[in-house]
Every structure is written in structure tokens, then in C-alpha cells.
Amino acid sequence: MTKRKLIDNISSKWMVASLSFFLLMPLAIAFGLIVKSSGLLENHSIGNLITSSEWSPMDGEFGFLPFIVSSLWVTITAILISMPLCLLSAIYLSQFAPKWMLRFMHPVIDILAGIPSVVYGVWAVLVIVPLVRDDIAPFFHADSVGYCILSGAIVLAVMSIPYILNLLLEVFRHIPVELGEASLSLGATKWETIKKVFVRKGGTGILSAFGLGFSKALGETLAVMMVVGNVVQLPHSVFDAGYPLPALVANNYGEMMSIPTYDSALMFGSLLLFVIILLINIFFRYIIYKSEAL
Amino acid sequence: MTLRRKWEEKFFHVMSGIITLAIVFVLVHLIWSIVAKGASLLSWNIITQPPKGTFYFGGEGGGFLNAIAGSFYLAIGATVLAFVVSLPVALFLNIYLIKYQRLLIGIRFFLDVLWGIPSIVYGAFGFLILMYLGYRNSLGAGIVTVAALISPIMIRAMDEVLKTIPIGLQEAAYAIGSTKTETAFKVFFRQALPGLATAILLAFGRGIGDAASVLFTAGYTDNVPTKLSDPAATLPLTIFYQLQSPSEDMQNLAYTAAIILTFIVLCTSITARLLYRKK
């Protein structure tokens, strides 16, 4: 009996310890990154760091604006591309399509979601870059080498489709069928019902799905970095090269130890990314939680 | 029904169908274009030999056993480590905290948020800890970082499975005198086994494909790691570096490595799916 009690005791403690570890992890990450970036913050104000576009680590100039702007360009373009695609596809699968189609699509979505970032990157280098260079850019009378914001945005859009689509299907599944039936019985067409009842009823859920997709895309590193060009500049169109924040951190860690406060600057970059993504996540998860609780 | 309404209905029906097909097409195209590009170099030597020649300019034969072995060591190590901390958390949520619904919702919310943190942040943080402790990039450091990255996924996936176990089973176990631990590991664990296996495979797939977190922590080497303190090459990073190489032979190798990585990940996710369906 005592042995069983002892085991019970030990295992309970281990469970609590594991849980506490995960509860403390984001705090530890935030703390570590803040401590490490304090070397940079001593000499530069945060306001100055995120509004200056002067980037020359050798001279101690760290303006994060080009990276922040590039990140926003890539991510917003990506979400604008994937938004209508995901919404229409989710509508088709949940409203129009036969049941077997949904059963077929679930594994397809899972597989797409499971493909590693770097494989998407390879595909983008093989397919998207030539497409942008030879077809899309000339169509808009622009000149582009293909390694640009648009290529990054397209691959990000493709990568975020399974993630957003899954969330959207969940949203549509939660809407009561009776609502649709009431609308249909009043003589509305299927599409009118979807437009005026389902999309409106699921509005907050749909918005949250896009919000979470946005934060996912914002933190995506490798696939984007492989096709976005990585030039430090303020991009003026989607055909310009950009340099998003995650790419900055990933590209430069090798040399960051050799230049003073460079490591601080890169950790500050990670901190920015971490805080922004955490806030977006908390906000939209909270909205989802609230709308499910109602 | 007016004509306009009818056409609008038709238009969106067809349009949304086409888009759904396009998503399937992207998946097929992705796999096809990588296979078409890299299949010609696929050989037995490539998966059983470490590289010969220098890092950027290969071309002297040899394969990438270093990366395949490194990836497997890393992902398996990380999955085991994650399992050791994830299973207790998932069981704790569903057995000890089952009566505290509000707290439970809060913790699940928190884990979902944790899931959203990008892998590059984990990588940067892992690197920071390494510097602080004064260690070099190594297989062990990579394992710990990847384990931290995949644990939230594993916990939530396990939690979803354990959630479906009826509370009556728990009460029955208590009624015959089981302790909470015995209920957890002998009843719940066994009941949820196929689902738990799916959770583990999902986490493994995520771990083996992730590059941003190991970029800083696992390092890179041409050798197969033999101990935890050795640096370890991984498939995703190999692909990334090879593709950046100026030599075309080397770039072609990247496509072959991409086929192998895709194959491993596809096998993992398909097995995970089959296991779950059986249940």
C-alpha cells in the first residue's frame, strides 16, 4: 500500500512539474530575450529602433524599419491571396460538396500542413520564382528577378492554406444547421444563405482564422527566406526584394558574435517577433474562446 | 428565382469547387515537381554514405547519410523527450483537473497560444541558453530545442484524445480502489493508446521537418554524430545549404534530399492518419 502511495506521490509531482515547466516557458523566453537585448536598448530607444531604416551593424546603427516593413508586406500580401481561396474552399467543402469530398480533403489538408517549410521553399525556388520573373512581373510591366516579396507571399499563402482552412472548416461545422434551413425555407438560394447567414454568423470565427493565419505566416522563416531576396531596403512594390524579420535572425547568427551589440540586435529582432505574435495569438484565441462559450 | 440570383449561385458553386481542386493540384504539383527534378540522382549510395569532398562544392560522390542519421537522431530524441513531459501534462489535465473546468480552459488556451510561437524564436532562445551555459552547437542542444517546440503540439493532440474518454471510466477505476496514478497510466493510457500514437507521430513529423529551430542549436557537420555533444546535420538544413551553393551538382542534390525528407514526412503523416482511423 505504501509503495502504491509513493508511486502516486512521485508521479503527481512529476505531472505538476511538467505542467509548471510549460507555463513558465514563455516567461523564460521573454525574460531571456529581454536580458540579451538590453545591451542594445541601453544606447538606443525602442522608438528609434523600430522607426529608423538605417541598418549598418558595423557602425552601430540598428534600424529595424526595413525588416518590419518587409515582414508586413510579405505577410499581408500572403493573407490577401489566401483569404478568398480559403473562404471559398471552406464554403464549398462544408456546403456544396458531397460528403466523400470532405473525407478526401481532410487527409490532403493534413498532408499539406505536415510538409516541412524547407520543402515548400524548394518548390518555390523551382516553380514560383520563374513564374513571377517570366510571367507575373512582365504582365504588370514590372521588372523583377523573381526573388521578391511576391514570391515570398505566394509560398506563404500556399503554406497557410491548410492551417486557415482547418480553422474555417471548424467554424462552419459549429454553425447550427437549423439556421440555414430557416433561410432556405424562406426562399433564399443556397449561396444567399451562405452569404447572409453562415458568413455573418461565423464572422468572428472567420476573422480569427485569418488573424491566426497571419501570425503563423509572420513567424515563418525558411521558405520565405529562400525566395524573398534578402536585401535591406524599404520595398516599394511587391516586385522588390525584401528582408523579413525571421530571415534577418536566421541569416546572421553566424557572424553576430564578431560585431559588438549585433547579437543584442538579433535577439531584439526575435523579441519583437515573439511579442507581436504572442499578442496576436492571445487576441484571436480569446475571440474564438468567447464565441464558442456563447 | 430571378436570373441574376440563379447565375450568382451557379458562379460561386463552380468557382469554390475549382478553388478546392486547385488546392489538391498544388499538393500534387509540389510533390511531382520535386520528384521530377531530383529523382534521377536518387540512389542507394546517397542514403547510405556520408558526403565526400568539401562542404559547398561536393561533386565527388557520397551521399547525405550524415543528414538522414542526424535528422532521425534529433527527431527521435526530441520526440522521446517531449513524450516524457507531454504525457504527464495531458494526463494531469484530464484526471486531476477534470473538476476545475475554468482552469482547464485557461490552460488549453495557453497551450494553443504556445503552439503559435514560431520555431525561429525557439531557436534563438535555445542559442541564447547555449551561449549562457558556454556549450557549443550539438545534437543534445538541438534535441532539447526541438522537444520544447513540439511539446505543445503533442500535449494538445493527446489532450484531444484523452478528452473523449468518458468520466465513468475514471469513476469505475476509483471505485475498485485505484490511485490516480494507476487510473492515469493503467486505464487512460491504455484506452487512448492509438490516439496517443497519432499524437507522437504528428510531433515527430513536425520535429523532423523543422529547420529554423535547429539552425542555431544543432550545428552542421559532414559526419554522423556519435554522441550528444557532437554537432549534427539535419535534412532540412542540408537542403537549404545545398540549394544556396553556386555549384549546380550540389543544387541538384538538394532536390534529392527534398524527396527523401518529403517521403519521410508523408509516411509519418499517413501512418498517423491510419492509426487514428482504426480507433
Side-chain angles (χ1 to χ4, degrees):
Chain A
M1 194 62 199
T2 43
K3 194 185 157 203
R4 286 175 59 204
K5 277 265 165 63
L6 189 70
I7 292 178
D8 192 45
N9 208 343
I10 294 172
S11 106
S12 314
K13 295 248 162 66
W14 179 240
M15 287 175 173
V16 175
S18 306
L19 183 61
S20 329
F21 174 77
F22 286 107
L23 295 179
L24 291 174
M25 195 160 72
L27 288 179
I29 293 178
F31 178 74
L33 292 178
I34 288 173
V35 167
K36 197 65 209 168
S37 40
S38 63
L40 179 72
L41 294 171
E42 269 170 18
N43 304 322
H44 305 73
S45 72
I46 292 188
N48 188 23
L49 283 173
I50 58 177
T51 53
S52 155
S53 53
E54 199 71 40
W55 181 264
S56 52
M58 294 302 260
D59 309 323
E61 292 286 348
F62 298 100
F64 279 90
L65 195 63
F67 308 104
I68 297 171
V69 171
S70 293
S71 269
L72 289 178
W73 268 92
V74 173
T75 315
I76 291 172
T77 316
I79 292 296
L80 287 181
I81 296 170
S82 69
M83 209 153 64
L85 301 180
C86 288
L87 191 56
L88 280 174
S89 179
I91 286 171
Y92 181 77
L93 288 173
S94 61
Q95 308 299 327
F96 291 124
K99 277 273 169 291
W100 63 264
M101 186 87 180
L102 191 60
R103 271 205 302 277
F104 167 73
M105 277 306 278
H106 265 300
V108 171
I109 295 172
D110 279 358
I111 290 174
L112 268 174
I115 290 178
S117 172
V118 71
V119 175
Y120 279 106
V122 172
W123 178 68
V125 169
L126 273 178
V127 179
I128 306 292
V129 168
L131 184 76
V132 168
R133 183 186 54 216
D134 301 333
D135 297 315
I136 299 179
F139 182 78
F140 289 100
H141 302 291
D143 209 19
S144 177
V145 286
Y147 290 90
C148 62
I149 302 260
L150 185 62
S151 304
I154 292 175
V155 65
L156 258 190
V158 172
M159 291 176 74
S160 61
I161 282 175
Y163 185 73
I164 298 177
L165 195 52
N166 246 335
L167 289 166
L168 285 179
L169 286 175
E170 198 65 14
V171 171
F172 281 113
R173 216 166 50 90
H174 275 298
I175 297 174
V177 189
E178 293 79 14
L179 278 180
E181 283 168 351
S183 163
L184 289 173
S185 72
L186 289 172
T189 63
K190 189 109 193 191
W191 174 251
E192 284 166 343
T193 307
I194 291 165
K195 196 167 62 173
K196 301 214 164 113
V197 179
F198 289 139
V199 172
R200 221 165 268 185
K201 176 78 183 156
T204 44
I206 293 171
L207 192 72
S208 312
F210 292 135
L212 290 175
F214 179 86
S215 84
K216 193 99 190 154
L218 197 59
E220 186 47 58
T221 312
L222 234 73
V224 184
M225 177 170 144
M226 287 163 82
V227 294
V228 84
N230 300 334
V231 178
V232 186
Q233 61 178 9
L234 287 173
H236 295 290
S237 84
V238 290
F239 297 110
D240 285 344
Y243 207 157
L245 263 179
L248 168 75
V249 179
N251 258 338
N252 295 301
Y253 96 99
E255 58 212 73
M256 75 189 190
M257 304 309 287
S258 47
I259 304 170
T261 61
Y262 199 15
D263 56 338
S264 277
L266 292 187
M267 289 306 158
F268 180 72
S270 315
L271 182 67
L272 269 183
L273 206 59
F274 175 70
V275 171
I276 295 170
I277 288 174
L278 202 63
L279 290 180
I280 298 177
N281 256 287
I282 291 174
F283 179 72
F284 285 107
R285 288 277 175 201
Y286 187 72
I287 289 185
I288 292 183
Y289 158 71
K290 272 286 166 202
S291 65
E292 273 174 6
L294 283 177
Chain B
M1 200 188 280
T2 61
L3 204 59
R4 202 188 66 84
R5 286 172 67 199
K6 203 170 162 186
W7 278 109
E8 192 180 319
E9 168 93 14
K10 262 260 165 316
F11 174 76
F12 280 103
H13 191 156
V14 173
M15 179 87 165
S16 59
I18 291 174
I19 286 171
T20 308
L21 273 181
I23 292 175
V24 181
F25 172 76
V26 165
L27 177 67
V28 175
H29 189 262
L30 191 143
I31 294 173
W32 177 79
S33 58
I34 289 172
V35 168
K37 191 86 183 168
S40 59
L41 285 175
L42 204 56
S43 70
W44 189 242
N45 279 348
I46 252 180
I47 40 180
T48 53
Q49 283 178 11
K52 296 171 188 153
T54 51
F55 176 59
Y56 262 119
F57 301 92
E60 288 166 44
F64 24 77
L65 179 67
N66 60 331
I68 297 174
S71 266
F72 269 105
Y73 289 163
L74 195 102
I76 291 173
T79 309
V80 171
L81 190 58
F83 179 75
V84 174
V85 285
S86 298
L87 182 67
V89 173
L91 287 171
F92 188 74
L93 293 183
N94 286 284
I95 289 174
Y96 286 73
L97 296 184
I98 195 83
K99 292 199 199 100
Y100 308 97
Q101 279 300 321
R102 288 192 73 91
L103 181 64
L104 210 50
I105 289 171
I107 293 177
R108 284 186 180 133
F109 173 85
F110 177 83
L111 288 169
D112 281 339
V113 170
L114 211 55
W115 187 352
I117 297 175
S119 64
I120 182 87
V121 171
Y122 282 99
F125 181 65
F127 182 68
L128 213 150
I129 299 285
L130 267 188
M131 281 197 302
Y132 181 72
L133 296 176
Y135 288 130
R136 280 180 43 244
N137 295 345
S138 63
L139 178 62
I143 286 178
V144 174
T145 312
V146 174
L149 171 76
I150 63 179
S151 289
I153 302 166
M154 205 192 261
I155 296 174
R156 279 300 274 136
M158 286 178 167
D159 183 38
E160 286 299 321
V161 181
L162 292 172
K163 227 158 72 172
T164 60
I165 296 178
I167 189 141
L169 198 63
Q170 196 175 342
E171 285 161 355
Y174 293 147
I176 56 171
S178 314
T179 62
K180 287 202 161 162
T181 309
E182 285 161 349
T183 312
F185 287 99
K186 292 193 176 150
V187 180
F188 269 56
F189 181 67
R190 221 168 277 180
Q191 182 72 14
L193 205 54
L196 295 182
T198 301
I200 292 168
L201 283 175
L202 280 179
F204 174 83
R206 178 78 195 271
I208 204 164
D210 196 77
S213 60
V214 292
L215 187 62
F216 302 137
T217 50
Y220 197 89
T221 170
D222 278 350
N223 305 315
V224 176
T226 50
K227 48 185 188 299
L228 285 177
S229 56
D230 282 351
T234 52
L235 271 174
L237 282 186
T238 304
I239 297 168
F240 178 64
Y241 289 137
Q242 282 173 338
L243 210 57
Q244 283 184 329
S245 150
S247 126
E248 196 155 325
D249 290 345
M250 211 60 183
Q251 289 179 10
N252 287 333
L253 272 179
Y255 305 125
T256 314
I259 294 180
I260 296 173
L261 181 61
T262 311
F263 179 74
I264 295 171
V265 170
L266 281 187
C267 285
T268 316
S269 55
I270 290 170
T271 318
R273 221 179 149 84
L274 289 178
L275 274 176
Y276 200 63
R277 180 171 292 170
K278 260 187 201 146
K279 184 191 157 270

